[in-house]
Amino acid sequence: MIFPVGDDQVRGGKFPIVSYLLIALNTLVFIYEILLPASSLESFMMSFGSIPVNIVHGQELHTLLTSMFLHGGWMHLIGNMVFLWVFADNIEAVIGSGKFALFYLIGGVIAALAHAFTATYSVVPMVGASGAIAAVLGAYIIMFPGSQVKLFIIIFLRTAKVPALFFLGFWIIQQLFNGYATLSPDAAESSSVAWWAHIGGFAFGVIMGFIYRPLLKPYRQYAD
């Protein structure tokens, strides 16, 4: 297993307070979840998770926002928060906290919509920040393609660096491959991962990355 643990940092950027607050908020919500009795937790997930069949009929639209702050387990939370911690700060440092907060939330909504309209009959609630984080990854690959991403390789207990273009390019190819495999209604219903949320969020992030990239000009790109 391989996962990112660091990257090159923008020099002279704004402090990424929103990125850190998002990590804290997601963690606090998850702690609240695990303190709930099992029956209450199920009701909580059904109330605030994004259920595709409701979304496509224009119902419970608030869950497009609330679902991105829920998680289904410790590994789900930790995986998402590690990606958010590694990749979000550079973007926020360049575009500013207000723009980043709006970008993140819109990315999460678009991701949830992408999932809903590729799993229109599903009654399984989608939860997790991965759609919004996919938007972050999409913007990152455009804004910082040459950034060196530090990866921890568990099997070897060591780290290695690869360009963001390579790591994130491989990541989105995986999402596209798996997303294509879930296009049938039965496959979409049975899949435990909202692949099209990742793809939709990433596509939005790529578009915004081109818009935000000129904002890099005032900064020396990377810290030592």
Side-chain angles (χ1 to χ4, degrees), residues 6-180:
D7 66 335
D8 294 332
Q9 297 293 297
V10 170
R11 291 181 176 180
K14 301 171 182 67
F15 184 74
I17 184 64
V18 169
S19 299
Y20 298 148
L21 286 175
L22 285 169
I23 293 171
L25 180 58
N26 277 277
T27 303
L28 289 172
V29 171
F30 184 73
I31 291 171
Y32 174 77
E33 288 177 33
I34 63 176
L35 293 175
L36 289 173
S39 58
S40 298
L41 176 60
E42 182 179 357
S43 176
F44 183 74
M45 291 296 195
M46 294 298 292
S47 296
F48 295 103
S50 183
I51 301 175
V53 71
N54 290 343
I55 298 301
V56 298
H57 288 93
Q59 301 170 351
E60 308 295 332
L61 296 182
H62 66 280
T63 62
L64 293 170
L65 282 171
T66 58
S67 62
M68 71 180 79
F69 296 98
L70 309 181
H71 288 85
W74 278 110
M75 293 307 296
H76 190 201
L77 174 73
I78 291 170
N80 279 343
M81 294 305 99
V82 166
F83 270 75
L84 184 58
W85 175 68
V86 171
F87 294 105
D89 56 348
N90 272 4
I91 297 173
E92 184 178 350
V94 170
I95 71 174
S97 297
K99 286 182 180 178
F100 179 77
L102 189 61
F103 160 71
Y104 181 90
L105 294 174
I106 293 174
V109 168
I110 288 174
L113 287 171
H115 173 66
F117 284 96
T118 52
T120 54
Y121 298 104
S122 177
V123 295
V124 178
M126 185 196 80
V127 299
S130 56
I133 294 168
V136 170
L137 303 185
Y140 194 101
I141 200 173
I142 299 302
M143 296 174 70
F144 310 102
S147 174
Q148 294 294 305
V149 178
K150 182 186 290 186
L151 305 177
F152 182 64
I153 307 168
I154 293 178
I155 192 171
F156 297 122
L157 296 177
R158 63 185 303 171
T159 61
K161 287 188 175 183
V162 298
L165 183 63
F166 177 82
F167 177 69
L168 296 178
F170 180 74
W171 182 87
I172 190 57
I173 289 171
Q174 283 186 308
Q175 312 310 303
L176 289 166
F177 179 83
N178 287 298
Y180 178 78

Side-chain angles (χ1 to χ4, degrees), residues 178-202:
N178 287 298
Y180 178 78
T182 64
L183 283 176
S184 70
D186 289 343
E189 182 74 26
S190 63
S191 176
S192 61
V193 179
W195 300 109
W196 285 96
H198 300 173
I199 296 165
F202 191 89

